[in-house]
Amino acid sequence: MVRKSLGRQFGWLWAAYGVSTFGTWLAFDAFPLIAILVLHAGTTEVSLLAAAGLAVGALVAVPLGPWVEFRRKRPVMVAMDLVRFGALMSVPAAYALGLLSFAQLLVVAVVVGAADIAFTAAGGACLKALVRPADLLVANGRFESTTWTASVLGPPLGGAAIGMFGPVMTVVANAVSFLLSAMGIRAIGGGEPHPVRTGTARFRVGDLFDGWRYILAHPALRPLFFNTVLVSGLIMAISPVLAVLMLSHLGFAPWQYGLAFAAPCVGGLLGARLSRPLVARFGQHKVMLIAGTLRACWLLGLAFIRPGAGGLVLVMVVEFGLITCMGVFNPVFATYRLDNTATDRVARTLSAWSVTSKLTIATLTALWGLLAGLTGPRTAIVIAGLLLLATPLLLPRHDNAAHRERVRAERPG
């Protein structure tokens, strides 16, 4: 099958996304490793680094949604890439001078987290402007395929690089990837009109909450918002619990742990490739509903891991099933969300979505750490799995085609 061309401008956007995503996965877990190996941080400090970076970064990003909405998106994306480049490069610079501290890692994690949210908000609006509505699923499928390809290749290569050069070098690679991303976005070219603000031209405190108001008032976005936020939060919350169970309680080697989660990412690539033909045959809403339901059925299986090869195979099967369903669901969901969001609301909506998701992940990760300490890792995983089984009830039960057509009609050109 011949790959459909989405134009030169989308090609540069995709290339920018690809290089920065690969850089991020190459440096996967670099900060915790630096904290442990270089700064000799303990478990509490490493957990604080993970949770606080997400939570504080999300809070810092709250005012960025309305700020991004009324600015040209590509300059914002370039600026956020350069902010991430500068923040990350401060880590190897401080390390070389013998000045690196845990506080600096924490600040950098917050800055990068806030810039991530602003970039994602601007990127969604940019994509909607560059690609025809009929091609959004193709574009989101390519982004999803790129994400899972990077998740397969990045961590093993990053692990090898850490072994050869140390964790600080992967941070350098990640920083450079954002610089290359900024260059790719600049290369998109063409004109980009300045957004026109309706109503009062002055910033109001209420503007900070426009994204949430829009989501919660929307009959299709509201249930999808609660579903996706809870699903990502519950899946990510058990990640450290599962690591303790596998590495400490069951005696799996680190390379086995890495293999158990890297190899199944091929399922994400497969799912992303399947999403478009499935939608063509069964329709967008039905595919999103079925894939969203199926992805909630896998997590409970991780509570039954046993030592040895059988346990490793079980983890890989469960992760492959979960990730394949996510690979189908994510591009369909991303397209559905853009289709149902008015053009002048995209940045605020995506920013509110990202802020809530990151805060939820940080909160649930901390709560599940406490729960695992009180009840044990398996019980904590069982509780998360049972809660996840209820999340399909939050998926939109009816197609919202009429509203999507009204939103598309608002789009210029």
Side-chain angles (χ1 to χ4, degrees):
M1 184 173 65
V2 178
R3 180 184 292 273
K4 183 175 183 179
S5 173
L6 299 184
R8 183 191 65 84
Q9 290 184 312
F10 173 77
W12 280 113
L13 180 64
W14 188 19
Y17 177 83
V19 71
S20 63
T21 301
F22 186 79
T24 298
W25 280 100
L26 190 70
F28 184 69
D29 277 349
F31 272 27
L33 287 172
I34 291 172
I36 294 168
L37 300 177
V38 177
L39 302 177
H40 309 293
T43 305
T44 301
E45 290 174 305
V46 173
S47 299
L48 175 65
L49 182 63
L54 279 175
V56 181
L59 290 174
V60 170
V62 168
L64 293 179
W67 178 81
V68 170
E69 192 75 79
F70 302 109
R71 280 159 179 80
R72 290 183 297 127
K73 304 306 182 289
R74 277 176 257 165
V76 170
M77 295 164 72
V78 170
M80 294 303 104
D81 272 337
L82 295 179
V83 165
R84 291 184 287 188
F85 168 75
L88 289 170
M89 283 302 295
S90 73
V91 173
Y95 174 76
L97 296 172
L99 300 175
L100 185 63
S101 66
F102 181 80
Q104 181 181 349
L105 286 183
L106 194 58
V107 170
V108 171
V110 169
V111 171
V112 171
D116 284 344
I117 293 174
F119 183 93
T120 299
C126 178
L127 177 64
K128 189 167 184 176
L130 289 180
V131 176
R132 296 185 305 114
D135 292 330
L136 277 175
L137 179 58
V138 179
N140 282 312
R142 291 179 186 175
F143 286 145
E144 187 72 10
S145 296
T146 302
T147 297
W148 291 114
T149 301
S151 67
V152 171
L153 299 176
L157 292 176
I162 288 171
M164 295 175 64
F165 307 110
V168 173
M169 287 306 296
T170 61
V171 176
V172 174
N174 193 18
V176 171
S177 77
F178 289 122
L179 184 61
L180 294 174
S181 172
M183 294 168 63
I185 293 165
R186 286 280 296 172
I188 290 174
E192 183 184 358
H194 197 287
V196 178
R197 179 167 187 149
T198 56
T200 178
R202 300 182 63 183
F203 176 80
R204 300 167 302 170
V205 174
D207 290 343
L208 297 176
F209 307 102
D210 275 351
W212 285 282
R213 278 197 291 264
Y214 185 80
I215 292 168
L216 296 177
H218 195 292
L221 295 182
R222 183 175 59 251
L224 196 58
F225 172 71
F226 288 115
N227 172 270
T228 55
V229 166
L230 284 174
V231 169
S232 61
L234 288 169
I235 290 174
M236 295 303 295
I238 71 154
S239 182
V241 176
L242 189 59
V244 171
L245 176 63
M246 292 183 66
L247 297 172
S248 179
H249 294 208
L250 300 179
F252 286 100
W255 71 266
Q256 292 175 310
Y257 176 78
L259 177 65
F261 293 97
C265 289
V266 174
L269 181 59
L270 174 64
R273 296 295 297 271
L274 287 173
S275 61
R276 185 185 175 197
L278 287 174
V279 167
R281 181 170 182 180
F282 300 106
Q284 183 187 54
H285 181 260
K286 183 176 290 187
V287 171
M288 186 175 68
L289 188 63
I290 293 173
T293 300
L294 290 176
R295 70 185 171 141
C297 300
W298 295 92
L299 195 67
L300 198 58
L302 295 175
F304 301 98
I305 305 171
R306 292 291 181 265
L312 188 64
V313 170
L314 175 62
V315 175
M316 294 175 72
V317 169
V318 170
E319 288 293 322
F320 181 83
L322 172 63
I323 291 171
T324 301
C325 294
M326 290 172 63
V328 174
F329 177 86
N330 288 347
V332 181
F333 147 67
T335 303
Y336 185 88
R337 181 172 59 180
L338 284 177
D339 278 344
N340 280 279
T341 305
T343 301
D344 64 346
R345 299 280 182 163
V346 173
R348 281 171 286 182
T349 299
L350 296 186
S351 178
W353 212 296
S354 294
V355 166
T356 307
S357 181
K358 290 181 183 293
L359 285 173
T360 303
I361 290 171
T363 302
L364 291 183
T365 298
L367 287 176
W368 251 257
L370 293 173
L371 181 63
L374 294 172
T375 66
R378 290 189 191 276
T379 303
I381 293 171
V382 167
I383 294 172
L386 291 174
L387 289 173
L388 199 64
L389 287 175
T391 58
L393 297 174
L394 296 172
L395 288 166
R397 311 312 299 180
H398 304 288
D399 198 358
N400 207 36
H403 181 82
R404 289 201 303 275
E405 289 304 318
R406 289 197 299 272
V407 170
R408 287 178 177 179
E410 298 172 2
R411 185 172 174 174

